[in-house]
Amino acid sequence: MSIMKNYVNNVLGGLIEKDPEQREFHSTAKEVLTTIIPALEKNPHYKEARILERLVEPERVISFRVVWEDDKGEVQVNRGYRVQFNSARGPYKGGLRFHPSVNLSILKFLGFEQTFKNVLTGLPIGGGKGGSDFDPKGKSDREVMRFCQSFMTELSRHIGQDLDVPAGDIGVGGREIGYLFGQYKRVCNSYEAGVLTGKGLEYWGSLARTEATGYGLLYFVKNMLEDQGRSLAGQTVIVSGSGNVAIYAIQKAQELGAKVVTCSDSNGYIYDPNGIDLAEVKAIKEVRRGRIKEYVATHPQAEYHEGCSGVWSVKGDIALPCATQNEIDLEAAKILVANGVKAVGEGANMPSTLEAIAHFQGNQVLFAPAKAANAGGVAVSALEMSQNSLRYRWTFEEVDAKLKDIMKNIFEDAKSTAEEYGCPGDLVAGSNIVSFVKVADIMLANGLV
Ligand code: GLU
């Protein structure tokens, strides 16, 4: 085994030994570390400086108690976190996730991913992630507000526009960011607009931030297809999820002439042979905060199936997983390939398992990895920070044009780096190497910190 392969295996083994239960974190670390071996071989001084050991260790992890009162007057206790992973390139930046599955392994995986993803945007942001095991599902607005206020009362000590800038993720959208911002302002006694992104437009959120992750995903996939002389127009697209990423991915896919036939939530999925009616999905998810199965009540030609993983059995040309981590396992990947899928674009974070990625790449499926393909959301968050610092606002068209450029650059960087390092067409390796080399060089330049 080569020296660098051995080095990577030792570091990965060390992670498993130290925190054996952090499986999600191990799998993202494995994906990144095994694909950057060519960069380690080119730069042997990284090993001497123990860059990998330093990279996999978050700079700071904060865990705290969140106590709040529900509508019945009962006391509830949740756990809150912020993982400040890497500040080589700027203030820690990354979303907050409110979901019962949240634990340190999930947040370390997301914070590690975010560190690499954020470098790809080319903007001055480090990487972080946070959240809570609080479940917003079924909670009233007042309960969500009380939870957010309690959560921010503690979090406010650890964040700031030049220190750490949270945003949304699963379970945290405009409503939650509004309550969090209100409490930050109250506790800190200052109007620091750039402390959170994804804010409402009235209090200096960026135009196009809501759409950015979904739109950015489609811009990336469009670049990837066009590079191969293909087009999105006329393609059948399978989307999973029905949250913010899925909704704007569907919208842009339709605008670009594709036909989207599915979407899903954690209970099941919809198949609409006529193409998904996005206005109805928005009404269900954004206005009524309902379940996706309600779609068939107004669209009798559509089918609802219990169980969200069945969505991958639908035949299509392009699959866009936009729900959550590990939603495409090897079995799902095999079905997609057998059904003739030509491209996969990851809208969620780490939706494909390592085995699924290997299966796609081994069967000539064009594969757009999450870090690159879904970076549009955080890129526009960074543009929101710029606008807040300038105390200025760009138009929707200006932000959208910048987003398009950023996604094009990410695709081109990943593609050319994959070629340079001897793995042409492998956008997973290409994007990991681009980010790794940039972060590693800064860490070296900044000394032993
Ligand atoms: N949660 C999003 C992500 O996974 C956005 C983070 C942000 O805007 O800071 O990239």
Side-chain angles (χ1 to χ4, degrees):
M1 196 185 297
S2 81
I3 294 176
M4 292 309 169
K5 216 168 183 183
N6 208 19
Y7 175 37
V8 163
N9 284 345
N10 283 342
V11 172
L12 290 174
L15 285 185
I16 298 171
E17 208 171 291
K18 230 182 213 171
D19 300 297
E21 74 295 348
Q22 294 184 354
R23 278 184 292 119
E24 293 82 2
F25 179 52
H26 301 154
S27 95
T28 184
K30 188 171 173 190
E31 184 223 271
V32 173
L33 267 48
T34 52
T35 51
I36 57 162
I37 291 172
L40 293 170
E41 273 158 2
K42 247 191 196 174
N43 301 279
H45 55 293
Y46 289 164
K47 179 172 178 287
E48 281 145 44
R50 305 188 71 168
I51 284 294
L52 294 186
E53 291 88 331
R54 288 155 66 179
L55 252 182
V56 295
E57 191 64 36
E59 289 178 20
R60 191 178 296 113
V61 174
I62 300 147
S63 162
F64 52 97
R65 184 174 66 203
V66 187
V67 184
W68 57 284
E69 196 176 78
D70 69 18
D71 286 346
K72 293 194 234 92
E74 278 169 25
V75 176
Q76 301 287 341
V77 184
N78 285 98
R79 192 173 282 176
Y81 303 90
R82 188 73 183 162
V83 176
Q84 298 181 330
F85 221 108
N86 192 298
S87 62
R89 304 240 318 161
Y92 308 106
K93 180 81 196 86
L96 297 170
R97 178 176 289 193
F98 291 170
H99 191 271
S101 65
V102 164
N103 58 34
L104 203 49
S105 173
I106 300 267
L107 293 180
K108 279 176 70 180
F109 123 60
L110 290 165
F112 191 68
E113 282 281 299
Q114 198 82 48
T115 298
F116 287 81
K117 176 189 332 195
N118 292 2
V119 177
L120 295 175
T121 66
L123 297 166
I125 43 178
K129 204 84 184 193
S132 172
D133 56 2
F134 172 75
D135 186 1
K137 212 193 279 176
K139 303 288 191 299
S140 70
D141 277 355
R142 309 295 289 178
E143 288 176 323
V144 170
M145 181 187 76
R146 286 194 293 273
F147 174 80
C148 287
Q149 289 181 335
S150 180
F151 181 86
M152 183 51 93
T153 302
E154 175 59 32
L155 186 69
S156 62
R157 312 160 189 267
H158 309 290
I159 62 173
Q161 63 187 4
D162 296 317
L163 169 61
D164 183 356
V165 181
D169 196 79
I170 293 173
V172 178
R175 172 182 63 170
E176 290 74 17
I177 293 292
Y179 295 144
L180 292 165
F181 186 68
Q183 186 70 355
Y184 183 85
K185 198 156 54 96
R186 175 159 76 163
V187 172
C188 296
N189 195 33
S190 79
Y191 199 106
E192 213 183 298
V195 72
L196 290 172
T197 61
K199 298 180 296 293
L201 299 178
E202 305 74 12
Y203 48 101
W204 313 111
S206 176
L207 286 155
R209 173 62 189 89
T210 312
E211 295 82 356
T213 314
Y215 279 21
L217 171 65
L218 268 296
Y219 296 152
F220 190 95
V221 170
K222 184 172 183 281
N223 279 298
M224 182 173 78
L225 291 172
E226 284 174 357
D227 184 63
Q228 298 289 310
R230 298 181 183 171
S231 144
L232 262 162
Q235 304 291 305
T236 300
V237 179
I238 314 160
V239 170
S240 67
S242 49
N244 172 266
V245 180
I247 285 176
Y248 293 98
I250 296 173
Q251 185 173 96
K252 188 51 79 177
Q254 291 177 340
E255 252 179 68
L256 294 171
K259 183 177 184 187
V260 182
V261 291
T262 63
C263 64
S264 65
D265 63 17
S266 55
N267 294 111
Y269 74 94
I270 295 292
Y271 168 66
D272 188 340
N274 294 355
I276 292 290
D277 174 1
L278 193 59
E280 180 62 13
V281 175
K282 280 184 166 185
I284 296 169
K285 301 305 284 193
E286 290 181 345
V287 182
R288 306 206 295 270
R289 293 185 189 273
R291 304 306 296 167
I292 202 66
K293 69 168 168 236
E294 295 164 29
Y295 185 94
V296 287
T298 49
H299 294 71
Q301 80 284 359
E303 298 165 16
Y304 173 73
H305 298 270
E306 282 292 332
C308 49
S309 56
V311 71
W312 307 122
S313 65
V314 175
K315 216 171 151 59
D317 305 304
I318 297 170
L320 303 177
C322 296
T324 194
Q325 66 271 0
N326 296 332
E327 54 173 312
I328 301 186
D329 57 11
L330 179 58
E331 201 187 323
K334 282 184 176 164
I335 298 171
L336 283 164
V337 170
N339 278 342
V341 81
K342 297 185 202 83
V344 176
E346 296 190 317
N349 288 314
M350 202 173 76
S352 315
T353 63
L354 295 174
E355 298 76 24
I357 297 175
H359 191 70
F360 291 136
Q361 291 184 325
N363 285 278
Q364 288 70 52
V365 174
L366 298 177
F367 183 75
K371 267 184 223 79
N374 78 22
V378 75
V380 174
S381 274
L383 299 179
E384 183 170 328
M385 291 164 69
S386 309
Q387 294 170 84
N388 294 153
S389 296
L390 289 168
R391 297 182 195 278
Y392 189 68
R393 160 166 289 162
W394 295 320
T395 63
F396 188 98
E397 290 69 28
E398 283 171 309
V399 179
D400 193 34
K402 290 182 200 298
L403 172 64
K404 266 186 202 156
D405 274 354
I406 291 168
M407 299 315 295
K408 191 168 197 292
N409 290 338
I410 295 177
F411 171 72
E412 280 167 2
D413 279 356
K415 185 190 162 196
S416 60
T417 305
E419 279 160 12
E420 186 189 331
Y421 283 83
C423 37
D426 183 349
L427 299 179
V428 179
S431 43
N432 286 340
I433 294 172
V434 172
S435 298
F436 169 67
V437 170
K438 286 193 176 150
V439 173
D441 286 345
I442 297 172
M443 287 171 77
L444 283 177
N446 288 169
L448 294 184
V449 291

